[in-house]
Amino acid sequence: MLTRRQLRVKVMQCIYAITQSKDDSLEKQEKFLKVSVENTYTLYLLMLSLLRELHTMAENHVMHDTKKYMASATDSFPDKEKFIKNQLLLQLVNNPSLTAELNKRKIKGWYLNADYIKILYKEIVRSRLYKIYMAQEGNSYGEDKNLIIDLFREVIAPNEKLYEFFEDDKLTWVDDIPLVNTFVLKQFKSIKKDESPSYFLPELLKDQQDMEFALKLLSKTLLNNKALEDEIQGKTPNWDKDRIADIDAILLKMAICEFLNFPSIPERVSINEYLEIAKEYSTPKSSIFINGILDKLVKEYKTAGKLKKAGRGLL
């Protein structure tokens, strides 16, 4: 679920937090990193539980409509229960593995925040997608799946109120929201009618080595901060560390740390990763600035024999 690039971003956030707070506690930042990684999975589960709550609200509305004497808008639909019979939604609702995981983690984010469910449900019911779906008789698994994908992409994910809720709940979720939304959509697009319940509980990391990589990158960058600053010194005309954007300085240090401490990662891979992160998190010209410095350093390290790379994909 989390890639190495996303782990690099989380390490960057930890180092930035130290820069801003002047708290140089490595132990505290390692704990923050682990919690930040774990919270990404919590956000993913919250998104799935949101869809379950929307299903519950739809059930309640259908039940309420059947008890009314006056006609309602839903009466024009061939099957008022079509949405709550949506097969992809039911895969989430009737999923014992997902229920157990939500209970295990005590995720009850919508219990005290039902207003967000109401807002989203009203937007869904008013949407063109919902009306077209409900107006058609019968439903195939493909049609059910496409509806949920389209509703998630066009109604749920872009909702500003929902974004504000997540932003206020956890600081690191601001960066995790696009990642999690993209992953949820990927899951929905790939799911099959007879999918195992465990499908919705993927591994957070590819393997334990990814977490070890992130922790090592964090500790090596922080513990060698002065030496890494010295490596940058003089690599650009009129260099002044006080004038370099904080994010740029952090990304440079992390990249140099990878060059010198991670022999299995090709230097070009490291450079490309940090350039992409700079484009997203720093100034418009940061990637050009960072690329220039890193290219100079790589040439110097190769000449001096300091760049010792070995492993798969390397000569």
Side-chain angles (χ1 to χ4, degrees):
M1 183 175 176
L2 281 176
T3 66
R4 285 283 179 103
R5 181 180 299 172
Q6 286 139 7
L7 288 172
R8 288 179 175 95
V9 169
K10 289 188 177 295
V11 171
M12 176 195 75
Q13 291 168 338
C14 290
I15 299 173
Y16 183 78
I18 282 183
T19 303
Q20 298 302 303
S21 66
K22 308 301 181 184
D23 183 349
D24 59 355
S25 169
L26 175 58
E27 184 179 355
K28 182 185 290 186
Q29 291 310 315
E30 286 178 334
K31 182 178 179 181
F32 178 81
L33 175 60
K34 291 177 182 177
V35 170
S36 175
V37 168
E38 194 61 33
N39 280 341
T40 304
Y41 205 75
T42 301
L43 178 59
Y44 165 71
L45 292 173
L46 263 176
M47 279 296 189
L48 297 187
S49 69
L50 170 67
L51 288 159
R52 286 162 56 117
E53 292 295 330
L54 286 168
H55 182 270
T56 299
M57 181 160 287
E59 275 188 317
N60 293 336
H61 275 257
V62 169
M63 191 180 302
H64 178 70
D65 278 354
T66 59
K67 296 178 180 179
K68 291 197 306 184
Y69 293 101
M70 301 293 289
S72 67
T74 60
D75 291 335
S76 62
F77 298 137
D79 181 2
K80 292 196 294 184
E81 297 184 0
K82 184 176 180 180
F83 184 72
I84 63 176
K85 292 176 183 176
N86 184 285
Q87 295 170 76
L88 175 49
L89 274 183
L90 290 175
Q91 282 179 296
L92 290 168
V93 173
N94 301 325
N95 189 312
S97 300
L98 180 56
T99 299
E101 190 67 21
L102 291 169
N103 290 336
K104 174 186 171 184
R105 293 172 180 259
K106 299 179 180 178
I107 295 177
K108 299 178 180 178
W110 309 113
Y111 178 71
L112 298 175
N113 299 284
D115 286 346
Y116 293 97
I117 306 299
K118 292 177 183 176
I119 290 170
L120 282 171
Y121 182 70
K122 287 180 180 178
E123 286 194 23
I124 286 172
V125 171
R126 287 197 300 260
S127 72
R128 171 189 54 84
L129 295 166
Y130 178 86
K131 290 174 181 175
I132 292 174
Y133 172 79
M134 293 297 290
Q136 296 172 342
E137 292 190 30
N139 59 318
S140 67
Y141 184 77
E143 290 169 340
D144 286 356
K145 186 167 84 165
N146 287 338
L147 174 75
I148 301 305
I149 290 171
D150 291 340
L151 285 176
F152 191 86
R153 183 192 291 117
E154 297 183 27
V155 179
I156 298 173
N159 186 272
E160 291 185 8
K161 291 291 183 183
L162 189 62
Y163 183 91
E164 289 171 5
F165 167 69
F166 288 135
E167 185 179 26
D168 291 340
D169 199 323
K170 297 279 189 303
L171 179 64
T172 57
W173 277 354
V174 174
D175 295 304
D176 288 340
I177 292 170
L179 159 69
V180 169
N181 285 342
T182 301
F183 186 76
V184 169
L185 280 174
K186 181 181 176 182
Q187 289 285 88
F188 288 167
K189 289 176 182 177
S190 301
I191 194 170
K192 298 174 183 176
K193 186 175 182 177
D194 57 351
E195 201 70 70
S196 165
S198 62
Y199 174 83
F200 285 111
L201 298 174
E203 293 295 327
L204 175 59
L205 300 173
K206 185 175 69 175
D207 51 44
Q208 185 56 32
Q209 289 181 339
D210 280 352
M211 194 67 230
E212 291 171 0
F213 159 78
L215 289 169
K216 181 179 177 181
L217 180 60
L218 175 66
S219 63
K220 289 287 186 182
T221 304
L222 290 176
L223 294 174
N224 296 288
N225 182 64
K226 181 62 172 64
L228 293 171
E229 281 190 354
D230 291 343
E231 291 292 321
I232 302 169
Q233 183 75 43
K235 297 302 181 296
T236 185
N238 303 317
W239 186 82
D240 180 352
K241 67 178 182 179
D242 294 328
R243 294 178 61 190
I244 290 183
D246 287 338
I247 295 296
D248 290 359
I250 291 169
L251 294 178
L252 281 167
K253 292 172 189 176
M254 289 171 64
I256 297 168
C257 180
E258 276 194 33
F259 291 162
L260 302 176
N261 296 283
F262 295 84
S264 65
I265 303 176
E267 66 273 6
R268 196 67 247 172
V269 170
S270 296
I271 291 175
N272 289 340
E273 289 290 280
Y274 288 105
L275 292 183
E276 290 302 314
I277 295 172
K279 289 175 185 176
E280 186 171 354
Y281 290 92
S282 198
T283 66
K285 295 182 179 180
S286 290
S287 60
I288 299 172
F289 169 71
I290 290 172
N291 188 46
I293 293 179
L294 294 182
D295 275 343
K296 288 181 183 178
L297 283 169
V298 166
K299 290 174 184 176
E300 284 187 15
Y301 291 161
K302 285 182 175 179
T303 301
K306 293 175 67 176
L307 206 62
K308 303 184 186 301
K309 296 291 184 178
R312 189 169 66 180
L314 298 169
L315 297 176

